[in-house]
Structure formats: structure tokens, C-alpha cells
């Protein structure tokens, strides 16, 4: 599931040299974003380049995803941080 206005960035502006204006330094290498199965992405989430969203994860609305997290994570914030794991919420039948 994916909310509206989600941005998946594949590259960024280079800024490593101070003798050349940033707008003339070009872009960094493009990196692929991988979104695994059973993911819920809230509205207006921004993915920085090269992110992998693991199976069963939830990304809160407005999150700026700057790093990767384990499977079944609930993630939120700017920058993104782990809110909690979903793995402890599985109910067992008696």
C-alpha cells in the first residue's frame, strides 16, 4: 500500500568540492530502491537513494527514509527512526 505524494529519489547533487559551485558538480551515482512484500507506505514519504524497505514494514506519513531497517519495522520521523517492531504483536491461538 502506498499513500499519495511519495518520492523515491535515485540520486543526489554532488557537493564534495568547494572550488566548484554545487549546481555545476553534477549528480551522484544512481542507486536502486528496493521495496519488498507487504509494505505500507504513508503519504508524503521521501526515500533517499539506495534504500531497501524490508518485508512487512510500515513507514509513517511524512517520513524521510535515510537508512534501512529490519523486517516488520514501524518507521517514522525526519530522519527516520525505528518506532517499534511488529514481530512482538503476533497473536497466538490457544
Amino acid at each position: 500500500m502506498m499513500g499519495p505524494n511519495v518520492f523515491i529519489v535515485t540520486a543526489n547533487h554532488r557537493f564534495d568540492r568547494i572550488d566548484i559551485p554545487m549546481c555545476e558538480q553534477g549528480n551522484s551515482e544512481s542507486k536502486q530502491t528496493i521495496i519488498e512484500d507487504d509494505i505500507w507506505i504513508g503519504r508524503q514519504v521521501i526515500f533517499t537513494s539506495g534504500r531497501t524497505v524490508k518485508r512487512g514494514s510500515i513507514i509513517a506519513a511524512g517520513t524521510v527514509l535515510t537508512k534501512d531497517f529490519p523486517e516488520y519495522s514501524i518507521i517514522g520521523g525526519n530522519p527516520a527512526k525505528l518506532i517499534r517492531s511488529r514481530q512482538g504483536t503476533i497473536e497466538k491461538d490457544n
Side-chain angles (χ1 to χ4, degrees), residues 4-94:
N5 302 321
V6 172
F7 294 91
I8 300 174
V9 178
T10 59
N12 201 348
H13 296 283
R14 294 188 61 144
F15 55 88
D16 50 330
R17 293 184 58 181
I18 59 171
D19 60 324
I20 299 173
M22 288 182 277
C23 64
E24 295 177 10
Q25 292 188 43
N27 294 324
S28 62
E29 179 182 335
S30 290
K31 296 179 183 176
Q32 182 179 21
T33 294
I34 299 169
I35 300 173
E36 295 184 353
D37 294 329
D38 196 25
I39 304 296
W40 181 6
I41 302 169
R43 73 180 302 134
Q44 296 178 316
V45 172
I46 299 172
F47 290 76
T48 58
S49 63
R51 301 285 55 89
T52 297
V53 181
K54 301 285 186 166
R55 173 186 310 273
S57 293
I58 298 170
I59 305 173
T63 296
V64 178
L65 197 62
T66 57
K67 61 183 180 178
D68 299 339
F69 295 89
E71 292 182 339
Y72 302 101
S73 292
I74 300 175
I75 305 158
N78 178 9
K81 61 183 173 184
L82 180 66
I83 295 171
R84 70 179 174 92
S85 174
R86 291 182 57 216
Q87 290 183 316
T89 62
I90 299 171
E91 294 183 25
K92 297 179 182 176
D93 293 333
N94 290 331

